Amino acid sequence: MPKDSNWIKPGRLHYIENDVEKQVDIIKTIDGVVVVLYNKAREKLIFVRQFRGAVYEGIHSAGSPDMSKGEADLEQFPPEVGVTLELCGGAVDKDKSLAEIAKEEVLEECGYEVPTESLQHVYDYRSGIGTSSSAMSLFYCEVCDAQKVSAGGGIGEEKIQVLEMSLEESRQLVQTGATTNGGPTCLLGLLCMENVSKIWLGPLPQDSPYVKPFRLYYVQNGVEKNWDLLKVHDSVAIILYNTSRQKLVLVRQFRPAVYHGIISSAKGTFDEVDLKEFPPAIGVTLELCAGIVDKNKSWVEIAREEVVEECGYDVPVERIEEVMVYRSGVGSSGAKQTMYYCEVTDADKATGGGGVDDEIIEVVELSLEEAKRMIQQGAVNNSPPSCLMGLMWFFANRAPGAKA
């Protein structure tokens, strides 16, 4: 990874929590906007498709030796495997309002000229909370054929395909068992943990077991291009519902990447952080129970372990239902995440949870009404898109009264 990358700045964040010095490998990436576009006259949702180097590398490295040791095997892994289905979106890299940037992306990528007033702000959230934690703003916009002024497709060397999907086709993307290269943003359509006494940023060591930054080179339509990306672990996330008390079970923890993302967005730098001005509580997230795939076990077995370690419920794998598979951080990591659903009861509670080793994780139970507020229009969360998507899936498919 060249040091002059405009998109990815890797580092190692050091902090002291409960008098224990800890560290986490993170990257600074650019914040973004995404837009749910709906052509009301034809009842079609509008998506974009494009080759994502980070997704391609993630798929390639999962089934073949490290790509950094040589060229990719294009026969075994054709470039099409790295093509994603996404919402229209883009980086916040201009001195303009979020709505204005979203308006430009709609025009450049999809060809619709819309006024900023038609862009309805839905909510804000954090993506890649374990590594990058970019701030994301989700908008909704209805368009009509009369607003179509160009074919879209992006600008410069971008190669973006505009794709329209019926509501029924779109619903299939978020049905149980779905597998897609779309990111969770697309599929969305403090107690002792605050006791952090010191934080500082250092260079990312080359032997980091969690973050491996690269610059990927490829030739597309005869043009040589490159993309800055990082290899991170694939992961699992579990929607937990306690049927005894009708509560959703989530976890809360201090996420250094979120803390770094908030401060560097606000200040433009992470030098000399004032813990009074920026209390560690701003880096605490509310998430689904989740964990990385770093063991030689099946993914559902890893999900089971995370449920007992983080939340204290001991359940057999047979009760853990796969919901969907998708790609997270399609612009930076392309890591795969599998989402599961599991119903638990008070009788399954074996421990207090809270994580293992020096993890500090708080188990949080939310009523259905509290959880609904997290995904209502105007909500602002430090939760990742996978958590918000999981809540949406639950209310659409498993909540009391939901249609099966």
Side-chain angles (χ1 to χ4, degrees), residues 153-228:
I155 57 175
E157 295 181 351
E158 288 183 319
K159 187 69 175 179
I160 296 173
Q161 176 191 2
V162 183
L163 182 69
E164 294 187 350
M165 295 181 68
S166 68
L167 299 183
E168 186 56 37
E169 291 173 315
S170 302
R171 286 192 186 102
Q172 293 172 9
L173 294 174
V174 291
Q175 287 180 348
T176 303
T179 299
T180 175
N181 268 10
T185 293
C186 175
L187 304 179
L188 275 177
L190 277 168
L191 300 177
C192 60
M193 66 184 65
E194 296 179 31
N195 190 20
V196 177
S197 57
K198 184 178 180 181
I199 294 183
W200 65 101
L201 191 64
L204 181 69
Q206 293 185 348
D207 63 351
S208 168
Y210 300 108
V211 176
K212 303 289 186 183
F214 297 99
R215 174 162 287 181
L216 183 77
Y217 298 85
Y218 60 102
V219 176
Q220 186 179 38
N221 283 357
V223 179
E224 181 174 320
K225 302 179 181 180
N226 62 73
W227 194 270
D228 295 339

Side-chain angles (χ1 to χ4, degrees), residues 332-346:
S332 57
S333 68
K336 182 168 75 172
Q337 184 168 83
T338 298
M339 181 178 289
Y340 296 92
Y341 173 70
C342 182
E343 293 185 353
V344 298
T345 67
D346 289 343

Side-chain angles (χ1 to χ4, degrees), residues 79-92:
E80 299 85 70
V81 303
V83 175
T84 62
L85 181 67
E86 309 172 30
L87 296 179
C88 169
V92 179

